[in-house]
Every structure is written in structure tokens, then in C-alpha cells.
Amino acid sequence: MPGPADETGAIAYRPLLFSIAYGMTGSVGDAEDIVQDAFLGLTRARQAGTTIADLKAYLTTTVTRLGIDYLRSARVRRETYVGEWLPEPVVVSADGPGPVEHAELADSLSMAFLVLLESLSPVERAVFMLREVFGYGYPDVARTTGKTEANCRQIFTRARQRIAAGRRGHDSPPPPARRAEGEKLARRFFEAAAGGDMDALLGMLAPDVVFLGDGGGKAQAIGKPATEPQRVAQLLVGGFRRVQMLGVSFRPAWVNDRPGAVMYDAEGRVASVVELDIADGVVQTIHSVSNPDKLRHLGPVSDVARLPKKRPS
């Protein structure tokens, strides 16, 4: 069994390992399971007398390869997913620090970026993320993924081209100086939506704004992405009006390192999570997650937006 010093050293890597696992899976619960499996594997290896010279490399490799296996098994589930697929939100309170394992989540893992990663194969995703997001050198990427350095260079170049083609140019993390500005804009945005102020909302939406919702076929969500500012504003005002009648309120939060909010029903249960991508002083993309399966890690889930179960034919 690892001694106290070894345990402390291993646990110190948990934020990094969670970030890698979450970037691979887009799921908070599965990322936590993968990290736990990596620690269990470490314990078993040491019980068997295995000497681990580089603890960080061992754990990173384990988590990455478990993530690749997960993606290979999840492909069919993603292909049959009902409606738009969005990752499970990682929420940190706007008023204080969040869970330790989420506190150092890589700031490049926004919802928009994770959706783009879905276009890559499992190995492409691992190579691109380790190199682009976490800054690993090619020798380390090769060792972690089990590929040659030359192969990793080819995979990364191909993956970067595909990701660049899908980027809108506004999904990079905000610089520290603009985080407060983004949080202030987000507060005004949600207050305008809750108050039905169409003019104020339109003034905060980019001309090419995109609004995406993920209900997973289990909760109310927009059927397809909305792209016209007027249409988006109407959807927001109408949606807030309906949920307010049911006692739903919002609480500002940081979602995937972007300003956003968590919606709670009158009993304090989570109804949905909204993330805003803000650039150039306006909202570029809105991601709304109401699928109850993707909210359970945040606490009790509300049923105010839940769709009735279909009766068997």
C-alpha cells in the first residue's frame, strides 16, 4: 500500500486527472469514475510490488487510456442521442470556490470546445487535448497514448485542422482582466431575460448568436439551434416567463470557466444550467442543459421541465 507521502503525491494530481478525463468524456460522473479507477489501479500495482518511477506519468497514462476506452464504448450512445448533445456542466459558485477536483479545470474545456472535440476519433481527441490543452510535448503524448512521436504529430495536425474548421473564433477563455466584465454582463443578461426586457437582451446578443439546448429527450429544450437575435431573445423571454410561473429562479455561477447560471425550482432543486460564451462585449453562444441525467452531480434535480414518459406502443 502507498504510504502517506505517496498518497499525498497522488492526490495532488487529482485536478489534472479530472480535467483530462472530463475533456475526454464530457461527463462529470464518468470523469470522476475514471480518476477513481486510476487510483485503484495504482493501489493494486503497488500491492503487487510494482515500482512506479514517475507517478504523474503513470496516472496520466492510465486516465487517458481509460478515456479512450470510454469513448469507443460511448460512440453508439452518442449517435442515438435525442436532440443536441452538450457536455455535463462543471459548475463553480460565483460566490466562492467549488470542489477541489474541479478548481483547476483546464480553462479551454468550454462547452463549445468539448462539442467540437466530438468530431474527433478517441485517439485523435486524446492527442489533440494533451498537446493543445495541457501543453504536453510529443514524447509525453506518444508515451501516454502508446503511439510513435511521428504518428502523434500527424494525428495532431489532422485534428487541429478539423477543430479549426469548426471554431467560430470566440470559444477561447476570457483573459483575467475581462472575467469580471463577463460576469457583470451575464448578470445583466439573466436579469433582462427574467424581466422580459427584449431591448436590453437584443443589445447584448451578437448578430451571429447561437442558442443550443440539451434536454436529451427527457426535459424541455429547444428542438434545434436558434440563430437569429430576435428569435433567441423571444425564446429566452418566453422560457423565463414560463419557468417563473413555476417558481424557478436563477443563481449566477461559473460554468465550464464561463459566466452562466443555475436555475432552481421553488424547492431548491436544479432545473437547468446555462453557460454563456462572451466576446467583444456581447453574448456569442448560449448553451442550456436541462437533461436531468446531466444535472444529478449538482444535487437533487427538479421535474418542472421533465417531459412525460412515453407509453409503450
Side-chain angles (χ1 to χ4, degrees):
M1 293 289 289
D6 290 332
E7 286 284 3
T8 301
I11 292 174
Y13 294 122
R14 182 179 288 274
L16 169 65
L17 300 174
F18 175 84
S19 293
I20 293 173
Y22 178 70
M24 289 294 291
T25 65
S27 166
V28 172
D30 289 321
E32 290 172 342
D33 288 344
I34 285 174
V35 173
Q36 186 62 28
D37 286 345
F39 280 115
L40 288 174
L42 173 65
T43 298
R44 294 192 186 102
R46 283 174 164 162
Q47 286 176 330
T50 303
T51 299
I52 299 171
D54 189 331
L55 187 58
K56 180 181 178 182
Y58 176 89
L59 290 170
T60 300
T61 299
T62 302
V63 165
T64 301
R65 294 186 182 182
L66 286 173
I68 290 172
D69 291 341
Y70 168 93
L71 283 178
R72 286 170 174 161
S73 66
R75 285 293 165 179
V76 174
R77 296 200 301 273
R78 299 283 172 85
E79 290 170 0
T80 59
Y81 194 80
V82 178
E84 291 288 323
W85 180 91
L86 294 177
E88 289 182 13
V90 173
V91 176
V92 176
S93 171
D95 301 321
V100 173
E101 64 267 28
H102 301 168
E104 296 182 18
L105 182 72
D107 57 14
S108 294
L109 299 181
S110 68
M111 286 197 174
F113 186 66
L114 287 169
V115 170
L116 284 176
L117 291 181
E118 286 290 299
S119 66
L120 304 179
S121 72
V123 173
E124 285 177 334
R125 185 165 179 160
V127 169
F128 182 78
M129 199 175 59
L130 290 171
R131 177 66 179 159
E132 179 80 0
V133 178
F134 297 100
Y136 277 56
Y138 283 112
D140 290 329
V141 174
R143 172 187 47 74
T144 302
T145 59
K147 304 292 182 180
T148 66
E149 286 189 42
N151 196 4
C152 285
R153 291 177 186 275
Q154 293 173 344
I155 291 172
F156 177 74
T157 299
R158 185 169 62 246
R160 184 170 57 181
Q161 291 172 345
R162 293 174 65 182
I163 293 297
R167 264 181 167 155
R168 299 181 67 220
H170 301 298
D171 60 344
S172 58
R178 295 200 177 172
R179 287 177 65 91
E181 178 184 336
E183 185 174 352
K184 184 177 180 180
L185 176 62
R187 288 179 182 271
R188 290 195 293 111
F189 174 89
F190 288 111
E191 288 171 357
D197 192 336
M198 286 284 292
D199 289 338
L201 272 178
L202 288 171
M204 288 183 274
L205 296 177
D208 59 346
V209 63
V210 178
F211 181 16
L212 302 100
D214 179 349
K218 298 181 179 182
Q220 296 177 13
I222 58 174
K224 58 182 181 180
T227 57
E228 296 292 334
Q230 185 75 24
R231 175 61 175 158
V232 169
Q234 290 173 343
L235 285 169
L236 289 167
V237 169
F240 267 81
R241 184 180 297 122
R242 286 192 298 274
V243 298
Q244 283 178 318
M245 293 174 62
L246 298 172
V248 173
S249 59
F250 72 91
R251 189 178 304 165
W254 282 93
V255 182
N256 289 60
D257 205 47
R258 300 293 188 277
V262 181
M263 308 296 170
Y264 294 93
D265 67 11
E267 298 178 19
R269 299 175 299 180
V270 180
S272 66
V273 173
V274 181
E275 180 222 46
L276 306 178
D277 281 336
I278 296 174
D280 303 323
V282 290
V283 176
Q284 305 284 347
T285 310
I286 305 165
H287 297 97
S288 175
V289 179
S290 56
N291 182 346
D293 294 340
K294 297 185 176 183
L295 303 175
R296 299 189 194 283
H297 63 286
L298 300 175
V301 179
S302 175
D303 57 4
V304 296
R306 191 181 295 272
L307 296 172
K309 292 183 178 180
K310 294 183 179 179
R311 296 180 178 178
S313 54

